[in-house]
Amino acid sequence: MSGTAERQPMLQVTNLKKYFPIKTGVFSRTTGYVKAVDDVSFDIYPGETFALVGESGCGKSTTGRTILRLQNATGGQVIFKGEDVYAATGDRMRVLRKDMQIVFQDPYSALNPRMTIGAAIREIMRVHGMATGNELHEKAERVLETCGLQRHHASRYPHEFSGGQRQRVVIARALALNPSLIVADEPISALDVSIQSQIINLLEDLQDEFDLTFLFISHDLSVVKHMAERVGVMYLGKLVEVAGKRELYENPLHPYSQALLSAIPVSDPARRQERIILKGDVPSPANPPSGCPFHTRCPYAMDVCRSVVPRLRRTDSGRHVACHLIHPPEQHNGDLSTVETRIAH
Amino acid sequence: MSELLQVRNLEMSYYTEGGRVRAVDGVSFDVEQGEVVGIVGESGCGKTAVSLSILRLLPSPPAKIEGGEILFEGQDLVKLSGERLRRIRGDDIAMIFQEPMTSLNPVYTIGNQLIEAIRLHQQLEGKAARNRAIEMLKLVGIPRADEVIDEYPHRFSGGMRQRAMIAMALSCDPKLLIADEPTTALDVTIQAQILELMRELKERLHTAIIFITHDLSVIAEMSDRVLVMYAGKIVEQGSVVDLFHDPQHPYTQGLIGSRPSMDVERERLEFIPGSVPNPLHMPGGCPFHPRCSHAMEICRREMPGEKQGENEHGVRCWLHLDKSDDQARPLRAAVGAAEE
């Protein structure tokens, strides 16, 4: 975290909310809301990789899409390079979109099967006024080359490529607009193991070469450990912990982070370990538990957890945690060391 | 310990419009009583085809077992009549699949489906069968089993459904359980629950397990022995410790090296260039040679035999076999990074 405190964040997400209405009955009356993203705040600094991790349904993908305004937020604020994304209209929004790109999980559905990949890349560059005529062709082929494909691939259709190559095409298309922020939403989950590392290496190379900033969304904690500098852990639409990678992996503070990290299988048979096994399933986001959303599965749950929602607060060490164990509700600035040792056991 | 299952030179092909696909190509391995054998490989490597062949669950056509033996307690499943095979399925060998929702019938209650299996295979009726079903649900850690038994599958979460599937598979005390990617569709905290459950049940019931997955870390956690498959062939097999600490085949080395590790920080991940070959256009010789950085002349022409090392650690790779100097000429100086 050192050094990031003085810098201006590239992206500031403040109290972001995205509620999906639940409609029932013949008149489709709204009877409740799924709080997919509920009061999420974090910053991303230029050149870093910030990862959002969590299990399916925790709201990590919705957070990514809401930041880009692919879905409109229910509330909260997204500031990108000092500009309010939700205040931008028409032309201004198009300029912002060019600067914030997204790479999706499934590279097949992200590409139009009837368009050659060259045409797909040229179209998006033309729309954003990046180039015209011959220069357009030249630039499109060059960006394919940058992403480990060959120039003559530009005249091929998506079905002619393997999964890993298709993901390279999708990354090339995002890169063609010369963005500063790329939201990578599970970019390797649909790929075979031997291909995943090719794509991870490519993303890292591109980050170095073009000074990219990544919001990396993934459920794979080993990949996140490799890629990210800072990590946000989400559970049922809320951020429960935000910390530097090393702090989080070496000493997770939130009980959910602890369980999540300990659940990862270790690829060394000599080191099979005892782990924290959580009881029960993730509750339905349509009907989340009262108080802390994690209290139904938390081994340390106290009475206060059932009624009071813990807020994401800064600890003395500069990390952010939303847990009553770390920040007891009656004394917010109490001695943290005792609490940290207590939950370490 | 004695051999429960012996697979010998199994050959299975799919006959498709595009031509013949050799999904399983000369596969041999043993499973001992109470042992967990992991099969790992990428999509299309034939790991599921092996497991489906053992129970002969493959539709024919297009699938056809073309050779080899599958000896289960001495009898060859390949030659068994439908009637006799039905008694072994479920009774002696049970199977669980990746997607528990598609394996459960949505219009019957969980209890109905469990009791059906128990009635057919255990000759229990009425109350006794129902009690056995409740007992099984309790065994796999489903809370309020006596009420939940009358629920329909859609009321269950993914983890609960997989528990119900395991209950069903184990309800007839099988000697062998085939688990095909049983945790792939589940979240990581739920995966930890299911793996813990399977480990516990294995200790308690002494069931042998064939555990199929693409996830190397799950293999490292669960298996006693591991088979690595590539393009329908076993390229390496050995004890889990030998395989992870001393991988011999370039493919195994690549697989292990390409996963980011939780313990060791690496600047750059290793990778295997290219991608899995199209099964209709298999490369000649060793199927891995177009992606292998050690490929030699001979790799293009001939499939290597298996070299047995210590501790039954077997590998099929020319690097570990005798060959003439001419044959050992490198196929290329360096492998290009891009997939072609």
Side-chain angles (χ1 to χ4, degrees), chain B residues 119-135:
Chain B
R119 273 182 37 226
L120 281 174
H121 290 285
Q122 301 232 302
Q123 281 79 45
L124 287 173
E125 289 297 333
K127 198 94 183 121
R130 188 181 162 85
N131 285 339
R132 169 86 181 147
I134 293 174
E135 188 191 313

Side-chain angles (χ1 to χ4, degrees), chain A residues 304-322:
Chain A
V304 62
C305 304
R306 279 176 261 281
S307 50
V308 181
V309 182
R311 287 193 23 229
L312 192 69
R313 283 176 204 278
R314 201 182 151 92
T315 67
D316 288 352
S317 51
R319 313 161 55 167
H320 292 77
V321 189

Side-chain angles (χ1 to χ4, degrees), chain B residues 15 25 69 94 146 201 213 236 262 272 313:
Chain B
Y15 286 87
D25 194 358
E69 293 176 319
D146 44 342
L201 292 175
T213 176
E236 182 162 1
M262 288 300 283
I272 306 175
H313 188 165

Side-chain angles (χ1 to χ4, degrees), chain B residues 16 108 115 207:
Chain B
T16 68
Y108 291 104
I115 291 166
T207 314

Side-chain angles (χ1 to χ4, degrees), chain B residues 4-304:
Chain B
L4 185 66
L5 181 81
Q6 294 168 290
V7 178
R8 291 283 166 270
N9 291 320
L10 184 65
E11 306 256 353
M12 195 277 287
S13 298
Y14 293 112
Y15 286 87
T16 68
E17 277 174 27
R20 175 179 173 207
V21 173
R22 292 166 178 266
V24 181
D25 194 358
V27 162
S28 303
F29 64 95
D30 297 339
V31 181
E32 292 177 0
Q33 269 166 20
E35 181 185 43
V36 181
V37 173
I39 305 183
V40 67
E42 300 177 279
S43 41
C45 73
K47 54 195 192 299
T48 297
V50 167
S51 65
L52 293 176
S53 302
I54 293 173
L55 281 177
R56 283 186 26 211
L57 289 174
L58 291 157
S60 176
K64 189 161 183 253
I65 295 181
E66 301 190 297
E69 293 176 319
I70 302 170
L71 299 171
F72 180 75
E73 297 188 309
Q75 39 181 347
D76 189 354
L77 300 184
V78 176
K79 299 200 183 75
L80 228 51
S81 70
E83 178 76 15
R84 299 266 303 281
L85 190 64
R86 210 151 34 238
R87 227 169 299 150
I88 287 184
R89 284 183 196 146
D91 238 349
D92 290 321
I93 307 180
M95 185 153 183
I96 49 179
F97 300 91
Q98 172 171 351
E99 186 26 82
M101 193 58 203
T102 50
S103 320
L104 289 164
N105 190 331
V107 301
Y108 291 104
T109 62
I110 295 285
N112 248 320
Q113 303 182 49
L114 253 172
I115 291 166
E116 183 190 18
I118 291 168
R119 273 182 37 226
L120 281 174
H121 290 285
Q122 301 232 302
Q123 281 79 45
L124 287 173
E125 289 297 333
K127 198 94 183 121
R130 188 181 162 85
N131 285 339
R132 169 86 181 147
I134 293 174
E135 188 191 313
M136 287 313 297
L137 289 176
K138 281 186 183 152
L139 183 74
V140 297
I142 290 183
R144 301 183 294 114
D146 44 342
E147 297 166 36
V148 164
I149 190 168
D150 295 317
E151 301 267 20
Y152 288 88
H154 74 268
R155 303 266 297 167
F156 277 41
S157 67
M160 292 257 283
R161 277 180 214 147
Q162 199 56 289
R163 282 174 194 267
M165 284 307 298
I166 294 174
M168 206 177 289
L170 296 181
S171 61
C172 304
D173 286 324
K175 293 173 184 140
L176 176 66
L177 175 67
I178 302 175
D180 188 358
E181 303 263 13
T183 59
T184 306
L186 306 174
D187 274 318
V188 54
T189 59
I190 310 298
Q191 163 170 292
Q193 292 174 358
I194 297 291
L195 293 181
E196 180 72 17
L197 171 71
M198 290 185 69
R199 248 193 308 254
E200 232 177 73
L201 292 175
K202 186 209 124 193
E203 291 301 318
R204 189 131 45 115
L205 309 173
H206 212 63
T207 314
I209 302 177
I210 296 180
F211 200 103
I212 297 164
T213 176
H214 68 282
D215 188 333
L216 277 165
S217 5
V218 171
I219 285 278
E221 293 256 327
M222 293 296 293
S223 322
D224 301 315
R225 265 182 336 108
V226 185
L227 319 175
V228 181
M229 285 191 74
Y230 188 79
K233 298 182 174 73
I234 294 177
V235 295
E236 182 162 1
Q237 58 178 312
S239 80
V240 67
V241 176
D242 286 346
L243 203 106
F244 276 87
H245 289 178
D246 186 23
Q248 299 286 318
H249 198 283
Y251 179 64
T252 318
Q253 293 165 352
L255 273 187
I256 293 174
S258 62
R259 276 297 293 167
S261 152
M262 288 300 283
D263 322 315
V264 195
E265 295 241 349
R266 271 180 289 209
E267 265 301 299
R268 241 182 122 65
L269 296 177
E270 290 169 37
F271 66 95
I272 306 175
S275 47
V276 180
N278 179 338
L280 287 170
H281 305 107
M282 253 336 150
C286 168
F288 188 60
H289 87 257
R291 305 177 72 189
C292 181
S293 51
H294 307 285
M296 299 170 286
E297 255 323 297
I298 193 168
C299 304
R300 203 173 54 187
R301 277 183 270 124
E302 249 179 275
M303 180 66 199

